[in-house]
Coordinates of all heavy atoms in Angstrom, one line a residue:
Chain A
L39 N 101.6 57.2 102.8 CA 102.9 57.5 102.3 C 103.7 58.4 103.1 O 105.0 58.3 103.3 CB 102.7 58.3 100.8 CG 102.2 57.3 99.8 CD1 101.8 58.2 98.5 CD2 103.2 56.2 99.4
D40 N 103.1 59.2 103.9 CA 103.6 60.1 105.0 C 104.4 59.2 105.9 O 105.6 59.3 106.2 CB 102.5 60.8 105.6 CG 103.0 61.6 106.9 OD1 104.1 62.1 106.9 OD2 102.1 61.8 107.7
L41 N 103.7 58.1 106.4 CA 104.3 57.1 107.3 C 105.3 56.2 106.7 O 106.3 55.9 107.3 CB 103.2 56.3 108.0 CG 102.2 57.2 108.8 CD1 100.9 56.3 109.2 CD2 102.9 57.7 110.1
M42 N 105.1 56.0 105.4 CA 106.1 55.0 104.8 C 107.5 55.8 104.6 O 108.5 55.2 104.7 CB 105.6 54.5 103.3 CG 104.6 53.6 103.5 SD 103.7 53.1 102.0 CE 105.1 52.5 100.9
K43 N 107.4 57.1 104.3 CA 108.6 57.8 104.2 C 109.5 57.8 105.4 O 110.7 57.9 105.4 CB 108.3 59.3 103.8 CG 107.8 59.5 102.4 CD 107.5 60.9 102.1 CE 106.9 61.0 100.7 NZ 106.7 62.3 100.2
L44 N 108.8 57.7 106.6 CA 109.5 57.7 107.8 C 109.7 56.2 108.3 O 110.2 56.0 109.4 CB 108.6 58.4 108.9 CG 108.4 59.9 108.6 CD1 107.3 60.5 109.5 CD2 109.7 60.7 108.8
Q45 N 109.3 55.3 107.5 CA 109.4 53.8 107.8 C 108.6 53.5 109.1 O 109.1 52.6 109.8 CB 110.9 53.4 107.9 CG 111.5 53.4 106.5 CD 112.8 52.6 106.4 OE1 113.2 51.8 107.3 NE2 113.5 52.7 105.2
I46 N 107.6 54.3 109.3 CA 106.6 53.8 110.4 C 105.6 52.8 109.8 O 105.3 51.8 110.5 CB 105.9 55.0 110.9 CG1 106.9 56.0 111.6 CG2 104.7 54.6 111.8 CD1 106.4 57.4 111.8
E47 N 105.4 52.9 108.5 CA 104.7 51.8 107.8 C 105.7 51.3 106.7 O 106.4 52.1 106.0 CB 103.5 52.4 107.0 CG 102.4 52.9 107.9 CD 101.5 51.9 108.4 OE1 101.7 50.7 108.3 OE2 100.5 52.2 109.0
T48 N 105.8 50.0 106.7 CA 106.8 49.3 105.8 C 106.2 48.2 105.0 O 106.7 47.0 105.1 CB 108.0 48.8 106.7 OG1 107.5 48.0 107.6 CG2 108.8 50.0 107.3
P49 N 105.2 48.4 104.3 CA 104.6 47.3 103.5 C 105.6 47.0 102.3 O 106.3 47.8 101.8 CB 103.4 48.0 102.8 CG 103.6 49.5 102.8 CD 104.5 49.7 104.0
A50 N 105.5 45.7 102.0 CA 106.4 45.1 100.9 C 105.7 45.2 99.6 O 106.3 45.0 98.6 CB 106.8 43.7 101.2
H51 N 104.4 45.4 99.7 CA 103.5 45.4 98.5 C 102.4 46.4 98.6 O 101.8 46.4 99.7 CB 103.0 44.0 98.3 CG 102.2 43.9 97.0 ND1 102.8 44.0 95.8 CD2 100.9 43.6 96.8 CE1 101.8 43.7 94.8 NE2 100.8 43.6 95.4
L52 N 102.2 47.2 97.5 CA 101.0 48.1 97.7 C 100.0 47.7 96.6 O 100.3 47.4 95.4 CB 101.5 49.6 97.4 CG 102.1 50.3 98.5 CD1 102.4 51.7 98.1 CD2 101.4 50.2 99.8
I53 N 98.8 47.6 97.0 CA 97.6 47.4 96.1 C 96.9 48.6 96.0 O 96.2 49.1 97.0 CB 96.8 46.3 96.8 CG1 97.6 45.0 97.1 CG2 95.6 45.9 95.9 CD1 97.0 44.0 98.1
D54 N 96.9 49.2 94.8 CA 96.3 50.5 94.6 C 94.8 50.1 94.3 O 94.4 49.4 93.3 CB 96.9 51.1 93.3 CG 96.4 52.5 93.0 OD1 95.3 52.8 93.4 OD2 97.0 53.1 92.2
V55 N 93.9 50.7 95.2 CA 92.5 50.4 95.1 C 91.6 51.6 94.5 O 90.5 51.7 94.7 CB 91.9 50.0 96.5 CG1 92.6 48.7 96.9 CG2 92.2 51.0 97.5
N56 N 92.5 52.5 93.9 CA 91.8 53.7 93.4 C 90.9 53.5 92.3 O 90.0 54.4 92.0 CB 92.8 54.8 93.0 CG 93.4 55.5 94.3 OD1 92.6 56.2 95.0 ND2 94.6 55.3 94.6
H57 N 90.9 52.4 91.6 CA 90.1 52.2 90.4 C 89.1 51.1 90.6 O 88.8 50.4 89.6 CB 91.1 51.9 89.3 CG 92.2 52.9 89.1 ND1 92.0 54.1 88.4 CD2 93.4 53.0 89.7 CE1 93.1 54.8 88.4 NE2 94.0 54.2 89.2
L58 N 88.6 51.0 91.7 CA 87.6 49.9 92.0 C 86.2 50.5 91.8 O 85.1 49.7 92.0 CB 87.7 49.4 93.4 CG 89.1 48.8 93.7 CD1 89.0 48.2 95.1 CD2 89.7 47.9 92.7
G59 N 86.0 51.7 91.4 CA 84.6 52.2 91.2 C 83.8 52.4 92.6 O 82.7 52.5 92.5
L60 N 84.6 52.4 93.7 CA 83.9 52.6 94.9 C 83.8 54.1 95.3 O 84.1 54.5 96.4 CB 84.6 51.8 96.0 CG 84.7 50.3 95.9 CD1 85.7 49.7 96.9 CD2 83.3 49.7 96.0
D61 N 83.5 54.9 94.3 CA 83.5 56.3 94.6 C 82.1 57.0 94.4 O 82.0 58.1 93.9 CB 84.5 57.0 93.6 CG 84.2 56.6 92.1 OD1 83.2 55.8 91.9 OD2 85.0 57.1 91.2
K62 N 81.1 56.1 94.8 CA 79.7 56.7 94.6 C 79.0 57.0 95.9 O 79.3 56.2 96.9 CB 78.9 55.7 93.8 CG 79.5 55.1 92.6 CD 79.0 55.7 91.3 CE 79.7 55.2 90.0 NZ 81.0 54.6 90.1
V63 N 78.2 58.0 96.0 CA 77.4 58.2 97.1 C 76.0 58.0 96.7 O 75.5 58.6 95.6 CB 77.5 59.7 97.6 CG1 76.7 60.0 98.8 CG2 78.9 60.0 97.9
E64 N 75.3 57.0 97.3 CA 74.1 56.5 96.8 C 73.1 56.4 98.0 O 73.5 56.2 99.2 CB 74.1 55.1 96.2 CG 75.2 54.9 95.2 CD 75.7 53.5 95.1 OE1 76.1 52.9 96.2 OE2 75.9 53.0 94.0
K65 N 71.8 56.5 97.7 CA 70.7 56.4 98.6 C 70.6 54.9 98.9 O 70.9 54.0 98.1 CB 69.4 56.8 98.0 CG 69.2 58.3 97.9 CD 68.6 58.8 99.1 CE 68.3 60.3 99.1 NZ 67.9 60.9 100.3
T66 N 70.3 54.5 100.1 CA 70.1 53.1 100.4 C 68.5 52.9 100.5 O 67.7 53.8 100.5 CB 70.7 52.7 101.8 OG1 70.1 53.5 102.7 CG2 72.1 52.8 101.8
R67 N 68.2 51.6 100.4 CA 66.7 51.3 100.4 C 66.0 51.7 101.6 O 64.8 52.1 101.5 CB 66.5 49.8 100.3 CG 66.2 49.4 98.8 CD 66.1 47.9 98.7 NE 67.4 47.3 98.6 CZ 67.8 46.0 98.8 NH1 66.8 45.2 99.0 NH2 69.0 45.6 98.7
D68 N 66.7 51.8 102.8 CA 66.0 52.3 104.0 C 66.0 53.8 104.1 O 65.7 54.3 105.2 CB 66.6 51.6 105.2 CG 67.9 52.0 105.5 OD1 68.5 52.7 104.7 OD2 68.5 51.5 106.5
G69 N 66.4 54.5 103.1 CA 66.3 55.9 103.2 C 67.6 56.5 103.6 O 67.8 57.7 103.7
G70 N 68.6 55.7 103.9 CA 69.9 56.2 104.4 C 70.8 56.4 103.1 O 70.4 56.7 102.1
M71 N 72.1 56.3 103.4 CA 73.1 56.7 102.4 C 74.3 55.7 102.4 O 74.7 55.3 103.5 CB 73.5 58.1 102.6 CG 74.7 58.5 101.9 SD 74.8 60.3 102.0 CE 73.8 60.8 100.7
R72 N 74.7 55.4 101.3 CA 75.9 54.5 101.2 C 77.0 55.3 100.6 O 76.9 55.9 99.4 CB 75.6 53.2 100.4 CG 76.8 52.3 100.4 CD 76.6 51.0 99.6 NE 77.8 50.3 99.6 CZ 78.9 50.5 98.9 NH1 78.9 51.4 98.1 NH2 79.9 49.7 99.0
I73 N 78.1 55.4 101.3 CA 79.3 56.2 100.8 C 80.3 55.2 100.4 O 80.9 54.4 101.2 CB 79.8 57.1 102.0 CG1 78.7 58.1 102.5 CG2 81.0 58.0 101.4 CD1 78.9 58.6 103.8
G74 N 80.8 55.2 99.1 CA 81.8 54.3 98.7 C 83.2 54.6 99.5 O 83.4 55.8 99.8
A75 N 83.9 53.5 99.6 CA 85.1 53.7 100.4 C 86.1 54.8 99.7 O 86.8 55.3 100.5 CB 85.9 52.3 100.5
L76 N 85.9 54.9 98.5 CA 86.9 55.7 97.8 C 86.4 57.1 97.5 O 87.0 58.0 96.8 CB 87.4 55.1 96.5 CG 88.2 53.8 96.8 CD1 88.3 53.0 95.5 CD2 89.6 54.2 97.4

Side-chain angles (χ1 to χ4, degrees):
Chain A
L39 291 171
D40 172 30
L41 295 169
M42 284 170 65
K43 288 178 183 187
L44 299 166
Q45 294 199 7
I46 294 164
E47 296 276 9
T48 54
H51 183 66
L52 282 184
I53 304 159
D54 183 342
V55 296
N56 281 294
H57 304 274
L58 303 188
L60 297 171
D61 54 358
K62 315 258 179 334
V63 180
E64 306 153 315
K65 287 268 186 194
T66 57
R67 257 175 283 166
D68 64 356
M71 167 168 276
R72 184 179 179 284
I73 303 157
L76 294 165

